[in-house]
Each structure stands twice: as C-alpha cells, then as structure tokens.
Amino acid sequence: RALSLLRRLCDLYPGSTGCRRGLAEMLARTGRGEEAAAVYRALADRWPLSASWPRKLGDVLRREDLRRAVEAYRESLDRDPGQLSLHRYVARLEGEPDDFAKPWEIEVRDLIPGSPGRREYPKAPAVCLLDLMVTRFRPDGSSEDVVHQAYKILDEKGVEAFGRMNAAGETLEVRTITKDGRIFEPIAATGSSYNMPALEPGAVVEIRYRTGTRRSPRAFDTGAFYFADPDFDNAVLLSRWVILLPKGFSAAFLTRNFHGKHEVTSEGDHVVHVFTVERSPRTEREPFMPPADEILPWITVLRNRPFADLNAVYAERLWRGLAPTPRIREEARKVLAGVEGVTARARALYEHVSEIVTGGTSFGGPTATLIEKAGDRFDLFASLLLAAGIPFEPAMACPNRGLDVDFEIVSPSFFTRRCLRIDPGDGPPIWVFEGSRHDPFGRIPDAFRDSPVFVTGLAAGRIETLPAGDAHPRGVVTTGRILLGDGTSPPVVEIRSEDRTDAGYAVKESLRGYDADDRRQRISSWIARRFTGPVLRSFDFPGVEVRGTPSVMTARAELPHYVRPEGDHAKIGLGLLRLNLESRYVGKPTRIHPMILRDRTDLTDRMEIDLGDRRRILSLPEGHTALGPLGSYSLSIERKGNRILIRRAVRFHRARLTPDEYRDFIPWVKAIDEAESRKILLAVR
C-alpha cells in the first residue's frame, strides 16, 4: 500500500523530486533494487547537473552489480569532481588504493637518532621532527592533503601539551614511539581526538591524516603553510610541502620570508613542487609582536579572483531578503508621512528602527524583525529604505585603513563590517553602519574612518574611501571639580565623563538591564581607579534612555584619603585616570621583533581643584608635552587664585616600532607616567 501511494503521488506531482526519492528509498529498502535504480536513473537524466542522483544510483547498484555501481559513481564525479571521499571510495572498489602521498613519505624513526633535546632548546616543551604535507590538486580546483607530523617531547609541559592528538580529517596513523623504540597506539579516542600513551620526555608522538577541500573553479586560496611553528612554541627540524598540480593548471605561489629549497619535477599528469625548510628556529614570544604571517616563512597556492568577483559575493549576502513586503511598505508610509528630503526621510526611518527594535534575536527577515521588535535592525532599515524609494547601496567596510590587509590576495575577508551608502542628492554620501541602537545616524565607527569600503551594485561594485571624520565628536571627555573644604570633613569630588567612542554608545544598551546596585558598582569602580578609597554619595547616568547620544556618567564622592599629610605640609594627586603606559607597553629593555600597537586613545580631561581658605600652594609640578610614535600628549597644571586647573589631552593612534625605535620609546612613555604621578604640595594656613 505504501508503494502504491508513493507511485500515485509521483503521478500527481510529476515535478516533485521528493516524491520520487521517497519511492526509490522504499523500493531499495524492500529489496526491489532494480526498480529503485530505474527511478534514480530517471532522476539523473532529468537533472543532468546534479551529482547526487548518480551517486544514489551507485549506492543502490553496489549491492547487486559492482561494475554498474562504479560507472554511476564515475558519472557523479564527472558532474562534481570535488567529491574527494567518493574518489577514494571508487579507488578502493577498483582495488587501487589512492595513496598519492606515499612517494614523499618519511620514516619518523629515522629522524630520531641524534635529534636535539633539552640542551639545544631549553625553553621549548617539544621539538617538531617532521611537518610534512602532500597536497594534490584536481583540475576543478579541489584538493586533498595528507599531513604527517611528529614531535619529540622535551619536558613535562610537552607531556601535557601532547597528551591528546587531534586529526583534522581521516586518521591514517597515530602512535607514540618511546625512547627505547617501542611503539604504542592510542588507548582511547573521542572522534578524531586521541589520548596518547607512554608519554615522557624523550618520547615521540606521530600522527598522519588525510583531509580535503572543495574549491571554486574560478578562485581559491589554500591558506598559508608555515615552515615554522605558527604558535611560536617549538623549533621545526624538517618542514616540507609537496604540491601536485595537474599539468596546465593555472595557479600561483605567493611566498613570504621563504629561503628554503624549491624543487620542480614532472610525475605523470602532474607537475610536482617540493618546498623544504630545515631547522626553523623557535620564535621567541614578545608582547605586541607582529603576526606569524609577517615574521615566519610561509607559502600559499592561489588562483586569484579579480576585485569584480567580490561584488557577487557581497551583493548576494547584503541584498538577500531585503525586498519589502506590504507590511514593510505600510510601515515606511506611516513613518514618513509629512517628512520631506532624502536625509530627513532616511534619518526618520533609522531612528524609528532604533526605537522599536530592542531585541537581538529573530528567526525571520525584516518583516519578522518589524513584527517581533527583535532581530537585525540593519536589514530592516535597508528594507524600509527600499520601500520608501530612498537611494542607497549596501557596502562592506575594511577596518584600520586597510593596514592589516595584504591586497595582493583578493579575498572577501578584506571587508568586514556592513554599512549603507545613502545618496542625499545634494551633498556627500551618508554612511550608516550596523551597530548599537544608540549609535547616531551617520556616525562612522572609529576603526573605519579613512578606510576602504566596497560598495556593491546590481551589476558591478567599486571601492571608495570613508571620510576621516564626521559631525559626531570622538573620544572620552571628563570634567571634574575637587573641593578640599575647611578640613573638618573629607574633600569631595564632582565628576562627569562623556564617552563618545564606539564602546560608549554600545554600553548604553547594557545599562538598560542594570539595576541600581549594578550601576552603583560600575561608578564606584570607575572612581576608585582615580582616587584611593572613595565613598560614593550620589551618581547618575543622564540620558541613558536617549538614543543617538554618548554615554554619560556623573558622580559625587567623598575622598577621605585624598589629602596625605607629611609633616607640616600635605600632598594631593592630580585626580587623573593615569595611563600607566610603562606597565602596558614596556616589558624589557630591548626587543627582537617590531612592536605593533593597535590601541586608540582619545582623552580630554579638565580637573579643577578648589583649595578653600585653609590651604595654600607650596609647589606645583611641571606639566608635560610630548610628540612621539603613539601620537601627542599634553598635560598642563596652572594656578588660578586658590584653584588649580589641570588639563590633559591624549591623542594616541596605531603605531609600529622597530626594535631600535622601541629603545627610544621607553623613556618617552616613562616621562608621561612620571608626569602623571607627580604630587601637588600644600601648606595649611
């Protein structure tokens, strides 16, 4: 009866592949293999570009006719050559195991005698005896890798580090070779993770596995193969990448810092490239050191894409699901009633979305976000713009002016943040980024100012440069007043801080969920970083519910430990949140690697100290002004009658220092820290 119903469904819905697949599966389960094969053959003929139907046909035929099954599998591979596991399966069925890496394999036991140990590498937990990868490309751009690695353990940290070995693909071999040459296989496994036995200093762990990757026929990038340890833990004695390229295959090698051997031979249908580096030293770790790509030898194989290809990648991602529904059109009509001008209409929609969408999760597109008041504000805003006929183009922005990007390899990963380019028609474009619902309309995040942006189009994309600034001020501005009083009660500070950074806008959303105790704790911690033992008396987060404005904190606190008596005089601090640059950036007097600093600091402080009538100034510390690799720093301390006015301006940006420049950088930051630690000397009248 089930088969009869399935056949009837197939007759009623001749275009349904699901009905025919169900019929074929039922026929196969009930022993009617030839009938099931006939259904799959009909599907394969009807859908000549699909590789799944010939493969399912082979699965059915395999039980009865191996020759016909192999023919079906090969038809599937002709339609989709990137099915690497099916390639290997067919090779096994035909009795020809596909061990393409065998000619380049190395016996690890031959590498152990005379290999270095703790004396040569006193800081390393292990030494890599072998890091071998053999990669075979197919004409469609798919590839298979056989990876073979072996590590000699040097100490107990190495025992812990290699207690579990992980195979990233199909495991071919995994074992421990003890100091006396005995071989132990893993005692337990969880998936492709193995608990290694008989580990001790001097033992060697070895793993060999196979993996594969589909590639686009037009562009691909294998990713970097490092001829050293990219984690900077161990030295590598023998590192080799063997690459088998089909003859006539169009690909390029991009190399960095490579000074090893490159041998090229011809083997059958392949051109073989063998890259070898011997005795790569262990890389010493340092804070703020460059990434592995910059300092280690590596190679990637790529078939590069033109920038024009990125348009299809981004456009498909950014335009998907934006088509406005009647519900979206009605919402746009209501919001824009009586609003004129492109900029004003776009702003009205942006502020409406920011107001109503307060949740971050939705299971649908823009319409679902609108109804549920939760989900992707960016897509809802774009859909409303479409409904309103406001001209815009989706775009993807690259951070940090593209300084961290190697544009030699064109990749969708260059551009990381969604934004919209709105054309007002009578002025420069307006850029709207996805972000916090408290972000002002048209604010460009700090990391993306003056940076490349890829603007998508329905036909072609283009690259523009984002403005270096906009109408919204940046940085953190703090103003405060310290009242010393008459000495009968503790000094009091009244302080206000306005955070105009990306984090400052984003924090307002989290503050909505804070209760009074949470908010008090946040303020108390902030004041305690400026003063010792403050006693908070009052605080506020004014405008926390107002969208489009920076985060603001105000507080009033007593400072019982601010005035420090010393004999017949007293000392007070400057009341600044100290930068402590030396503890952040200076670890040792010299460096091996360049120093890369990615922090941005934009601070404006104005602190007024009211001395009252009972105290007078004995001495004021000098201010400090500095220009250096991080940017500019200015600290001034002035007497204004019975008041002291302290101003500080910090404008630090990204920087890169050579080891020689680092030596000059140390006194530069120490001078700033010393200036901020100085005290004001007072006398009591």
Side-chain angles (χ1 to χ4, degrees):
R1 287 181 60 194
L3 287 170
S4 176
L5 289 170
L6 284 167
R7 287 192 173 96
R8 185 180 174 192
L9 284 170
C10 291
D11 292 337
L12 287 171
Y13 302 100
S16 170
T17 58
C19 293
R20 281 161 175 73
R21 183 177 65 243
L23 174 60
E25 290 171 352
M26 176 67 77
L27 289 169
R29 286 200 300 270
T30 54
R32 297 169 172 84
E34 284 296 331
E35 294 180 66
V39 176
Y40 281 131
R41 168 49 62 195
L43 287 168
D45 292 341
R46 181 166 183 173
W47 304 100
L49 298 182
S50 172
S52 62
W53 303 124
R55 182 164 182 164
K56 289 182 178 296
L57 174 60
D59 292 342
V60 171
L61 293 173
R62 187 183 61 211
R63 303 181 182 93
E64 301 176 7
D65 190 333
L66 190 58
R67 181 187 60 80
R68 291 170 60 202
V70 170
E71 290 176 355
Y73 287 142
R74 291 211 172 275
E75 181 182 349
S76 179
L77 289 171
D78 289 340
R79 298 183 181 190
D80 180 9
Q83 303 176 87
L84 303 176
S85 60
L86 186 58
H87 276 291
R88 296 194 295 270
Y89 184 58
V90 169
R92 287 197 294 268
L93 290 178
E94 295 181 328
E96 299 177 1
D98 191 17
D99 193 2
F100 65 91
K102 185 176 181 180
W104 292 276
E105 277 296 350
I106 294 174
E107 176 55 58
V108 169
R109 284 178 292 188
D110 295 340
L111 302 176
I112 297 175
S115 59
R118 169 57 62 209
R119 182 172 60 84
E120 292 86 349
Y121 298 105
K123 297 181 180 180
V127 58
C128 180
L129 301 182
L130 175 66
D131 184 15
L132 169 68
M133 185 164 75
V134 183
T135 301
R136 180 179 63 184
F137 284 92
R138 295 187 180 274
D140 72 318
S142 60
S143 62
E144 293 175 276
D145 303 319
V146 172
V147 177
H148 190 180
Q149 296 174 319
Y151 294 86
K152 180 179 178 180
I153 296 172
L154 301 184
D155 59 18
E156 292 302 324
K157 289 184 179 179
V159 171
E160 181 178 352
F162 293 95
R164 293 182 71 86
M165 295 291 286
N166 299 300
E170 174 192 355
T171 304
L172 302 177
E173 184 176 41
V174 57
R175 62 183 184 174
T176 299
I177 305 173
T178 64
K179 289 189 294 186
D180 56 5
R182 292 177 296 160
I183 294 176
F184 291 86
E185 294 185 349
I187 54 179
T190 304
S192 297
S193 181
Y194 300 90
N195 295 327
M196 301 304 293
L199 295 189
E200 61 178 339
V204 173
V205 293
E206 179 182 8
I207 190 167
R208 185 170 176 262
Y209 59 88
R210 185 202 308 252
T211 186
T213 307
R214 289 178 177 269
R215 298 295 182 196
S216 162
R218 187 164 183 186
F220 65 81
D221 171 14
T222 60
F225 179 88
Y226 295 95
F227 295 87
D229 184 357
D231 295 323
F232 309 139
D233 288 327
N234 309 303
V236 181
L237 297 190
L238 177 59
S239 184
R240 177 170 293 161
W241 192 11
V242 181
I243 303 168
L244 287 71
L245 294 176
K247 291 181 177 177
F249 187 81
S250 176
F253 297 100
L254 180 67
T255 65
R256 290 288 185 271
N257 311 311
F258 181 82
H259 302 291
K261 297 179 182 178
H262 178 199
E263 302 169 292
V264 183
T265 59
S266 179
E267 301 284 344
D269 296 331
H270 292 88
V271 176
V272 182
H273 295 260
V274 181
F275 296 90
T276 304
V277 173
E278 297 185 31
R279 293 193 173 271
S280 293
R282 178 177 180 268
T283 304
E284 191 73 24
R285 278 195 181 94
E286 287 182 323
F288 309 107
M289 67 188 295
D293 283 6
E294 182 177 331
I295 60 178
L296 298 184
W298 59 270
I299 293 175
T300 185
V301 182
L302 58 92
R303 180 183 287 163
N304 214 355
R305 71 178 79 220
F307 267 103
D309 273 10
L310 294 186
N311 187 65
V313 176
Y314 293 138
E316 196 277 333
R317 181 193 312 170
L318 295 173
W319 287 94
R320 183 197 303 134
L322 296 186
T325 61
R327 180 72 173 81
I328 294 286
R329 294 185 186 280
E330 175 61 19
E331 191 76 11
R333 186 191 64 78
K334 290 192 300 183
V335 173
L336 297 179
V339 182
E340 299 295 334
V342 172
T343 301
R345 287 162 64 83
R347 184 190 300 274
L349 291 175
Y350 177 87
E351 293 179 350
H352 179 67
V353 170
S354 297
E355 178 183 0
I356 66 172
V357 181
T358 58
T361 303
S362 176
F363 297 100
T367 303
T369 298
L370 177 62
I371 294 171
E372 299 170 17
K373 306 297 186 288
D376 192 324
R377 287 185 297 272
F378 184 86
D379 279 356
L380 175 56
F381 175 59
S383 187
L384 287 166
L385 290 176
L386 280 175
I390 296 173
F392 77 93
E393 295 166 292
M396 294 289 291
C398 175
N400 303 319
R401 296 165 52 207
L403 296 177
D404 296 326
V405 175
D406 183 353
F407 284 98
E408 189 171 347
I409 309 173
V410 180
S411 168
S413 64
F414 290 171
F415 301 91
T416 60
R417 185 84 167 265
R418 295 188 299 172
C419 58
L420 299 178
R421 183 189 189 276
I422 299 173
D423 185 0
D426 57 354
I430 300 167
W431 298 92
V432 178
F433 278 73
E434 66 172 340
S436 163
R437 61 189 291 262
H438 289 275
D439 285 345
F441 176 73
R443 179 181 181 273
I444 299 174
D446 296 339
F448 292 91
R449 297 171 190 246
D450 196 27
S451 294
V453 59
F454 191 98
V455 183
T456 68
L458 295 179
R462 65 188 185 277
I463 294 178
E464 296 186 9
T465 300
L466 291 164
D470 55 29
H472 304 282
R474 303 169 63 181
V476 179
V477 178
T478 303
T479 57
R481 186 166 179 243
I482 301 173
L483 305 167
L484 296 190
D486 58 6
T488 60
S489 58
V492 172
V493 62
E494 298 168 345
I495 193 166
R496 181 185 188 275
S497 180
E498 182 175 305
D499 190 345
R500 303 162 175 172
T501 66
D502 298 345
Y505 287 100
V507 76
K508 292 183 70 174
E509 189 67 15
S510 61
L511 286 172
R512 293 174 63 245
Y514 282 19
D515 60 21
D517 288 340
D518 292 333
R519 294 186 179 189
R520 173 180 287 273
Q521 181 59 43
R522 183 181 183 89
I523 288 279
S524 297
S525 299
W526 173 65
I527 295 181
R529 294 169 60 195
R530 292 172 172 265
F531 304 99
T532 301
V535 180
L536 186 63
R537 292 307 183 194
S538 63
F539 67 93
D540 192 14
F541 289 90
V544 70
E545 299 293 341
V546 180
R547 296 181 313 281
T549 61
S551 173
V552 177
M553 297 187 295
T554 64
R556 179 182 174 88
E558 292 180 357
L559 308 176
H561 306 291
Y562 180 61
V563 179
R564 299 294 181 90
E566 290 192 9
D568 57 353
H569 59 270
K571 289 183 178 180
I572 59 173
L574 303 181
L576 300 174
L577 186 62
R578 292 174 57 183
L579 297 177
N580 292 321
L581 298 181
E582 185 176 1
S583 63
R584 287 165 60 185
Y585 297 135
V586 178
K588 54 183 183 178
T590 60
R591 287 182 63 92
I592 302 171
H593 306 292
M595 185 179 194
I596 300 177
L597 305 177
R598 294 183 170 88
D599 296 339
R600 288 181 174 84
T601 304
D602 195 331
L603 302 176
T604 300
D605 294 88
R606 179 187 173 94
M607 187 66 66
E608 180 183 299
I609 304 174
D610 189 331
L611 302 178
D613 298 329
R614 296 190 64 248
R615 294 179 175 85
R616 61 183 178 84
I617 300 171
L618 287 179
S619 66
L620 285 181
E622 293 183 0
H624 185 73
T625 301
L627 285 173
L630 274 185
S632 64
Y633 177 91
S634 175
L635 172 65
S636 65
I637 307 168
E638 301 178 64
R639 181 200 307 257
K640 297 284 185 179
N642 68 336
R643 296 176 298 122
I644 301 171
L645 186 60
I646 300 164
R647 295 186 180 93
R648 180 178 68 174
V650 183
R651 303 290 182 269
F652 288 170
H653 49 66
R654 294 164 55 91
R656 180 188 180 92
L657 285 70
T658 66
D660 288 341
E661 291 170 331
Y662 171 75
R663 284 195 290 268
D664 297 330
F665 177 68
I666 294 175
W668 191 82
V669 301
K670 285 185 175 182
I672 291 175
D673 284 349
E674 197 276 329
E676 295 189 349
S677 67
R678 293 169 186 163
K679 303 298 182 183
I680 299 169
L681 197 61
L682 304 177
V684 178
R685 294 184 187 275

